[in-house]
Amino acid sequence: MKNPKVEKKLIHYIKSNSDHNSLYWYPLVHVAKFISVAAYDIIRIYQDKNMFFIENVVKLCNIKDVSMFQMDCREYFENESITQLLYEQDEDGYIFQWYAETFIFDESEEWLIYLSHENTISFTGEKIVVAAKKIIPPCYFIA
């Protein structure tokens, strides 16, 4: 079930930390400088069959159940297994949600994963950024 309070709060937070006052960040580099951010090339990670890097980041941070919504509100999930979202499949293979501006978060408000149709995955929040930089090789780092 969609939680309008959570969505409204997150949208306000994102817009207030954006240079463009919008939900569109590429790839979260326009947020206020005091927020830790690390962005990676999700297409290369996916094509190299290295989605386990992303899974290991969320495991290290003990992230299990998450909420997810897309900027155009086509999809919204609450209390979904993040591992299930990472490895969702169709007949063509994995269909991890990077085709639209997608926000993944939990009730802790300590981190955010942002996926862009620009083929990026960005992490924000001190703990998850440290984990990403520790686990994901620098060859995938873009910002």
Side-chain angles (χ1 to χ4, degrees):
M1 181 172 174
K2 192 171 182 174
N3 185 332
K5 286 183 180 179
V6 171
E7 184 175 359
K8 184 177 179 180
K9 183 176 181 180
L10 183 63
I11 288 171
H12 171 74
Y13 181 74
I14 292 166
K15 285 185 174 183
S16 68
N17 281 288
S18 170
D19 289 346
H20 307 295
N21 191 32
S22 75
L23 290 175
Y24 182 78
W25 293 343
Y26 173 74
L28 280 178
V29 295
H30 297 296
V31 297
K33 299 297 181 205
F34 63 87
I35 299 174
S36 298
V37 177
Y40 299 88
D41 184 336
I42 191 66
I43 287 287
R44 285 197 52 222
I45 292 171
Y46 175 77
Q47 289 173 339
D48 292 349
K49 300 185 183 343
N50 286 329
M51 288 300 289
F52 67 90
F53 289 137
I54 308 301
E55 183 180 5
N56 288 340
V57 169
V58 299
K59 279 183 180 178
L60 184 63
C61 293
N62 200 31
I63 297 168
K64 294 182 173 91
D65 295 326
V66 298
S67 295
M68 179 192 88
F69 77 90
Q70 292 177 328
M71 185 171 69
D72 58 10
C73 300
R74 284 185 290 169
E75 297 207 43
Y76 187 99
F77 301 103
E78 283 191 79
N79 298 318
E80 289 287 325
S81 162
I82 192 165
T83 304
Q84 183 177 338
L85 291 172
L86 288 173
Y87 291 102
E88 186 176 329
Q89 296 185 26
D90 66 6
E91 63 276 1
D92 297 322
Y94 296 121
I95 55 170
F96 187 52
Q97 308 282 341
W98 72 70
Y99 57 83
E101 307 332 285
T102 302
F103 303 88
I104 300 173
F105 55 96
D106 70 6
E107 60 189 27
S108 74
E109 299 181 9
E110 294 177 359
W111 58 270
L112 175 72
I113 298 172
Y114 170 67
L115 296 146
S116 170
H117 78 280
E118 306 286 357
N119 304 325
T120 64
I121 183 168
S122 299
F123 301 93
T124 187
E126 189 68 32
K127 184 176 179 182
I128 199 167
V129 169
V130 169
K133 288 181 177 180
K134 178 178 180 180
I135 292 170
I136 303 172
C139 63
Y140 297 112
F141 186 77
I142 57 173

